[in-house]
Amino acid sequence: MLGRQTFALVERSLRVDTRLKRTHFVRLAFAGLILLLLAQVQIGINNYSSPGRDVFRNICWLNFFLLNLAGLSFFSTAITEEKEEMTLGLLRMAGIGPLGVLLGKVSPRLISAVLLLSVQLPFTFLAITLGGVNTHQIMAAYVALLTFAVMLAGLGSFISTICERSNVAVSIMTGILAGLYVGPVLAHKAADGMLRKKWILAETMGSIDAKLSYIEGSTPWISLFSERGILSTNFNGPLLGYQPLVGLITGTLFFGLAWAIFDACTRNEIRVAPARGLMALFSKRVTAGGNRVWNNALAWKDFNFLTGGTIAASIKFVSYIILMGSMAVLIARELRSDLMDSIGGTLILSMLTALLVEIPIYLSRIFREELRWQTWADLVLLPHSIGWLVRNKLLGILPTFIPAALVFLFGAIISPGFLQDTLRKTFLEAQGLYLLSQYILGLHLIVLLSLGVKWGALPFGIALVVVPNVIFVAACGMRPTLWQYAIPITAAVVICGVSQKLIGEKLRNLAST
Amino acid sequence: MNDREMADAPSSPPTAGQPAIELSGVAHSFRGFKALVDVTFQVPLQSLHGFVGPNGAGKTTVLKLICTLLKPQTGTLKVFGLDVRKELNEVRRRLGFMPDHFSMYRQMTVYEYLDFFAAAYGLSLDQRTRVIEDTLELTDMGARRGDLINGLSRGMQQRVGLARVLVNDPDLLLLDEPASGLDPRARIELMEILRALRSMGKTIVISSHILTELAELCDSVTIIDRGHVKYCGTMDGLLDHEADFPTYRITPSEPLNGQFDQLGALPGVVGLEPVEGSQDVRIAIDPAMLDSNGLLRATMDLGITIAKFGPAQRHLNQAFMDLTEKGVR
């Protein structure tokens, strides 16, 4: 069963990976990053009560964040990318069985993640000399992270096997991870509310909390960072505690499931084509006497086929109204004074968050879809400049933000003071400008990455902004000075300028490939 | 002029006598690999020009240079007298390029797809309606206008692709392997559409590997191999042209049998081969030793009754093999 062919793909992937300079560069860069964090703490050692633990905590956050990104992009697309390129059938015809394909696609990615963690280990032991953390904690932390990687790999292989498209797989993985982190908190809040209304008994509440703690404890979020977690003072738990065991069992279980259903899910080759989405369900088709393409054809195309058109915008608008209306009712029940300000503030902040999340999602797809379906050259051949194409494509995604903007506007009308305060904090205070600059930098990097990588431009763009900022905050503390803020803001402006130039050049070159 | 003005500027009609495409000393490299070396050729106005070469010869690179997807690194390239470096948008307005791969918005219907491109070219609503009807009629896709492109067969998708490049009424059509992957019926129908387009006064450059169809269809041809132009001229010129010796085709009234060897032994005859599927022979002579009259006389002296005698035309396949080198690069 475990013949040479089973490991043929693994062998090949590892060989290719080893030959790539990029692989070694990333590992080196990561080790360098750890050293930088250590050096920065060493320089300002007097500012820390337990510098070793603080620096190690930052390293663990970084690893945890990157593992989540890997789960979203690397692991969940392992099989779907073969399906989309219609190469899975060829692999099967070459005699590689389901286990061979799964191992060949998933294990090299897992090994890469493990190697990335392993390369840090010798350096992180230096944290012991800085004080506040011991060898047992470091070992336990890495076991927690490694087993979490196993869990993500197993889960990713399963999702990737059942899904036909990478974007669906990534969405499902995002939903599962979000559910793992936020689900127990929301469930606890809901149960708490029911307890206060006396809909459930205190014992039931205790039982619900106990069950929720099992779910919560299955990720390093709790096992590492909670008050009684591995990084707490005097941690003396086992190396292979609850979370590592759950990680190993879940990972293996889902990998086994993927193996079991692999044939059933991949038996027939599916021709992947761009989807009509919501347009297929409700919109009238363009005809000579009826609906027509707008005069701004590019905007029409992206509004309808990238963002889902009027239907998606209407669904979003209704959802926002229902969600925000419910929140307003909840606030009205809790508060007696400053009611309008609270509701307005909630609307403004919620819609601002919705916009901040929506914009990078669409930007990561605006050119990627053209490149994926090889249609970019057709647009470049129009008698317009690249700049014109970019501007009009951006115009096409703007209407999709109208629902959030309308609710935001309503919030601003009922609470102008809150809006004024938000605008002042964003544009007149250094911290606001710093956050804004990093956000805009992130958008640029996401677009640039989307022109080069098949999947994961969004998480990698976020990572590229978050990681240096984690170091910045670690170096400067939570209250940096005005001059310290100037560094990332200036860097963001410069990188945005360079990115724009690179995006233009790449768009020009990609048309001819 | 800004982009909008550029897009709206009226295009001047092609001038008679001026070549549609003019390449002179064009070279192009990709990371040190010389894809094109000193490429020089012209495509006559309102002609159907075949562009032939083995895989990796540089055909697609030339087409991409002409359609402005690539910028020439050296040499000059003019389309209707317009420099592709300086008058990029004007060139783009006057040509339609259909690449060898099926790059389409497959989630759109046929009508949406054509309307989208017509609008993107800045056509008014009335113009769009008219031009879409015309192109649908020409490509015989009117009945499928409401169908999703994704549900169409490859041949039909190819027709939609062709309709798309016609929506801006270009003077020049560049078609990269338009018949690849099509069944014989779809290929023949495509060739008929191309003939119809030529009769409308369009200049068409068609890159293809299906040489038989090119020979029937094209007025002129360019053969390219390993980045070098090996031949550029009329199709007749290519087929009449022999690399070494003039060749004649003899149609005897009766089968040759034993006279075939005698014919081959004649002084001055350097090559003799039967023409497949007939009793004809192709005979190559050394002009220093024998001319066409001498050959005719010597043949009749052998007792062969001749029904027909004339210069032999090579098959395009043969011309292609003669002009291009063996192996791939």
Side-chain angles (χ1 to χ4, degrees):
Chain A
M1 191 173 70
L2 291 176
R4 194 178 156 76
Q5 274 177 323
T6 307
F7 296 101
L9 262 185
V10 183
E11 205 179 310
R12 189 190 160 275
S13 297
L14 289 176
R15 208 174 278 158
V16 170
D17 211 31
T18 315
R19 283 190 202 131
L20 286 174
K21 282 179 192 162
R22 189 182 58 196
T23 314
H24 304 290
F25 178 75
V26 168
R27 284 173 200 157
L28 188 72
F30 214 83
L33 202 69
I34 305 290
L35 276 178
L36 201 73
L37 281 171
L38 284 164
Q40 163 259 314
V41 171
Q42 174 66 35
I43 292 162
I45 199 151
N46 294 333
N47 302 328
Y48 299 91
S49 56
S50 48
R53 197 174 65 213
D54 287 342
V55 76
F56 188 61
R57 181 183 289 273
N58 284 339
I59 292 169
C60 286
W61 270 119
L62 205 62
N63 283 321
F64 179 59
F65 176 70
L66 291 176
L67 278 177
N68 277 295
L69 287 185
L72 293 181
S73 52
F74 268 176
F75 295 127
S76 60
T77 59
I79 305 298
T80 49
E81 68 179 23
E82 294 287 341
K83 288 183 191 171
E84 285 175 337
E85 284 171 13
M86 295 203 276
T87 47
L88 203 56
L90 296 176
L91 290 175
R92 299 302 309 277
M93 282 164 70
I96 302 172
L99 181 63
V101 177
L102 276 168
L103 280 174
K105 294 302 296 180
V106 179
S107 58
R109 293 166 197 231
L110 181 61
I111 291 169
S112 291
V114 170
L115 285 175
L116 206 60
L117 289 173
S118 312
V119 79
Q120 313 161 15
L121 203 59
F123 301 102
T124 47
F125 279 116
L126 291 172
I128 299 167
T129 60
L130 292 169
V133 68
N134 58 41
T135 316
H136 179 66
Q137 278 175 299
I138 289 179
M139 293 308 289
Y142 275 100
V143 168
L145 290 167
L146 285 170
T147 50
F148 183 56
V150 172
M151 182 172 111
L152 291 174
L155 199 58
S157 62
F158 176 72
I159 293 168
S160 192
T161 302
I162 57 168
C163 292
E164 282 173 12
R165 289 163 181 256
S166 294
N167 53 355
V168 178
V170 171
S171 305
I172 292 176
M173 191 68 155
T174 309
I176 290 173
L177 288 180
L180 271 177
Y181 301 131
V182 187
V185 180
L186 291 179
H188 173 80
K189 292 259 181 216
D192 199 36
M194 285 192 271
L195 181 68
R196 273 193 278 167
K197 295 270 177 200
K198 296 185 179 162
W199 291 350
I200 55 169
L201 298 171
E203 294 86 59
T204 318
M205 177 71 194
S207 156
I208 290 171
D209 267 352
K211 286 185 178 94
L212 289 176
S213 70
Y214 284 122
I215 300 171
E216 265 186 326
S218 62
T219 73
W221 178 276
I222 295 296
S223 70
L224 270 178
F225 305 112
S226 69
E227 278 176 18
R228 290 183 189 175
I230 294 165
L231 295 176
S232 62
T233 320
N234 301 325
F235 168 77
N236 200 22
L239 277 183
L240 215 59
Y242 173 72
Q243 180 266 316
L245 277 174
V246 169
L248 283 176
I249 293 166
T250 320
T252 317
L253 193 73
F254 275 107
F255 187 85
L257 270 176
W259 183 18
I261 59 164
F262 193 86
D263 262 336
C265 292
T266 60
R267 181 65 191 84
N268 295 317
E269 192 171 75
I270 291 146
R271 189 173 160 206
V272 182
R276 204 170 164 82
L278 289 168
M279 288 272 287
L281 297 175
F282 304 105
S283 290
K284 282 184 187 167
R285 291 185 177 182
V286 168
T287 53
N291 271 351
R292 292 305 292 263
V293 171
W294 303 343
N295 283 338
N296 189 335
L298 256 69
W300 170 85
K301 180 182 76 65
D302 282 346
F303 175 60
N304 284 294
F305 294 102
L306 191 74
T307 72
T310 318
I311 306 299
S314 307
I315 292 171
K316 242 190 296 186
F317 186 62
V318 173
S319 311
Y320 287 151
I321 294 285
I322 293 170
L323 201 69
M324 291 299 109
S326 316
M327 280 176 87
V329 171
L330 281 176
I331 291 167
R333 283 175 152 191
E334 298 284 330
L335 285 179
R336 293 286 169 263
S337 59
D338 300 330
L339 189 60
M340 293 313 265
D341 258 5
S342 298
I343 293 173
T346 308
L347 293 185
I348 288 172
L349 283 181
S350 305
M351 289 304 106
L352 207 56
T353 311
L355 282 172
L356 292 178
V357 172
E358 273 190 81
I359 293 170
I361 289 173
Y362 288 119
L363 284 183
S364 70
R365 294 179 57 209
I366 194 165
F367 298 115
R368 185 73 243 154
E369 293 293 302
E370 302 283 359
L371 298 175
R372 190 175 172 211
W373 306 113
Q374 298 183 305
T375 46
W376 179 239
D378 293 341
L379 298 185
V380 171
L381 280 175
L382 294 170
H384 306 291
S385 67
I386 297 281
W388 187 92
L389 295 176
V390 173
R391 284 194 297 278
N392 284 282
K393 281 181 78 62
L394 289 175
L395 272 178
I397 61 168
L398 279 184
T400 198
F401 306 127
I402 290 175
L406 283 176
V407 180
F408 179 92
L409 203 66
F410 182 67
I413 291 168
I414 61 172
S415 178
F418 190 89
L419 177 70
Q420 225 171 11
D421 196 41
T422 310
L423 290 176
R424 184 182 53 76
K425 279 180 184 163
T426 311
F427 294 106
L428 298 177
E429 288 182 10
Q431 195 181 16
L433 276 176
Y434 157 70
L435 291 173
L436 188 67
S437 70
Q438 298 309 299
Y439 181 73
I440 295 170
L441 171 66
L443 296 183
H444 278 80
L445 293 176
I446 286 165
V447 174
L448 186 61
L449 283 168
S450 75
L451 302 179
V453 296
K454 273 191 203 165
W455 295 107
L458 184 64
F460 282 109
I462 295 169
L464 278 177
V465 175
V466 169
V467 172
N469 280 292
V470 167
I471 298 170
F472 172 72
V473 173
C476 305
M478 291 310 283
R479 293 246 165 247
T481 63
L482 201 62
W483 286 109
Q484 283 172 328
Y485 273 130
I487 300 166
I489 293 173
T490 315
V493 171
V494 172
I495 299 169
C496 284
V498 175
S499 299
Q500 284 199 10
K501 198 170 161 44
L502 288 175
I503 289 166
E505 272 174 24
K506 257 193 141 14
L507 285 174
R508 211 161 287 125
N509 295 336
L510 284 167
S512 62
T513 52
Chain B
M1 272 202 291
N2 62 29
D3 294 333
R4 195 63 252 174
E5 287 166 341
M6 278 181 180
D8 293 341
S11 56
S12 52
T15 317
Q18 174 196 57
I21 303 169
E22 205 176 347
L23 281 90
S24 176
V26 171
H28 203 86
S29 302
F30 296 104
R31 292 178 186 169
F33 172 76
K34 289 179 180 171
L36 299 176
V37 184
D38 192 24
V39 169
T40 301
F41 72 90
Q42 292 187 347
V43 175
L45 199 65
Q46 298 178 346
S47 65
L48 217 159
H49 189 87
F51 198 50
V52 189
N55 291 331
K59 299 189 297 292
T60 301
T61 306
V62 170
L63 291 182
K64 283 184 175 175
L65 283 166
I66 297 169
C67 78
T68 72
L69 281 179
L70 286 173
K71 197 173 173 183
Q73 289 162 347
T74 55
T76 56
L77 202 168
K78 289 182 177 176
V79 177
F80 299 120
L82 302 162
D83 192 321
V84 295
R85 284 197 192 88
K86 294 173 189 157
E87 289 152 297
L88 192 82
N89 285 342
E90 182 57 20
V91 170
R92 283 178 181 174
R93 197 188 336 280
R94 295 178 63 172
L95 62 80
F97 174 58
M98 193 163 85
D100 57 348
H101 52 81
F102 274 45
S103 56
M104 302 176 104
Y105 294 109
R106 289 161 200 258
Q107 70 273 50
M108 291 186 190
T109 63
V110 173
Y111 200 93
E112 276 171 354
Y113 186 66
L114 298 179
D115 202 18
F116 166 72
F117 275 100
Y121 272 103
L123 270 61
S124 70
L125 198 63
D126 287 345
Q127 285 174 317
R128 275 154 55 185
T129 308
R130 203 172 51 245
V131 84
I132 293 169
E133 289 306 325
D134 289 348
T135 52
L136 285 174
E137 192 188 326
L138 181 78
T139 52
D140 199 18
M141 287 298 292
R144 309 298 298 266
R145 67 181 67 204
D147 290 9
L148 283 183
I149 293 174
N150 198 34
L152 299 177
S153 68
R154 195 178 165 92
M156 286 195 181
Q157 288 186 359
Q158 194 71 298
R159 283 163 184 253
V160 178
L162 190 59
R164 191 265 292 170
V165 297
L166 291 171
V167 290
N168 63 320
D169 193 21
D171 299 314
L172 170 65
L173 292 175
L174 302 170
L175 313 176
D176 195 2
E177 300 285 354
S180 71
L182 298 187
D183 62 40
R185 172 174 283 278
R187 263 201 332 252
I188 291 164
E189 285 170 355
L190 178 72
M191 296 302 156
E192 277 166 13
I193 296 171
L194 294 182
R195 281 194 190 96
L197 286 168
R198 179 177 49 180
S199 68
M200 291 173 181
K202 309 267 182 214
T203 305
I204 304 167
V205 176
I206 172 170
S207 131
S208 178
H209 283 132
I210 304 159
L211 302 178
T212 326
E213 280 159 10
L214 278 188
E216 285 172 20
L217 194 70
C218 296
D219 316 306
S220 56
V221 66
T222 295
I223 294 185
I224 187 168
D225 186 26
R226 295 169 198 246
H228 296 268
V229 171
K230 298 289 184 169
Y231 176 84
C232 182
T234 62
M235 186 61 83
D236 285 341
L238 173 71
L239 302 180
D240 289 342
H241 171 89
E242 282 288 343
D244 304 311
F245 302 104
T247 307
Y248 296 89
R249 180 169 174 154
I250 298 171
T251 309
S253 302
E254 290 163 6
L256 287 179
N257 300 327
Q259 291 146 316
F260 185 85
D261 292 337
Q262 290 175 319
L263 200 56
L266 286 175
V269 171
V270 291
L272 178 71
E273 59 177 15
V275 176
E276 217 175 296
S278 71
Q279 55 188 17
D280 297 8
V281 289
R282 274 165 54 94
I283 185 161
I285 55 170
D286 181 353
M289 294 174 70
L290 190 69
D291 61 7
S292 57
N293 288 333
L295 174 66
L296 191 59
R297 210 175 305 118
T299 309
M300 291 196 302
D301 289 347
L302 289 172
I304 299 169
T305 321
I306 298 170
K308 206 171 164 189
F309 178 86
Q313 277 206 325
R314 287 185 302 176
H315 193 275
L316 184 56
N317 285 343
Q318 189 58 46
F320 180 76
M321 294 301 282
D322 289 344
L323 288 167
T324 56
E325 288 174 44
K326 209 176 170 183
V328 290
R329 63 167 185 171

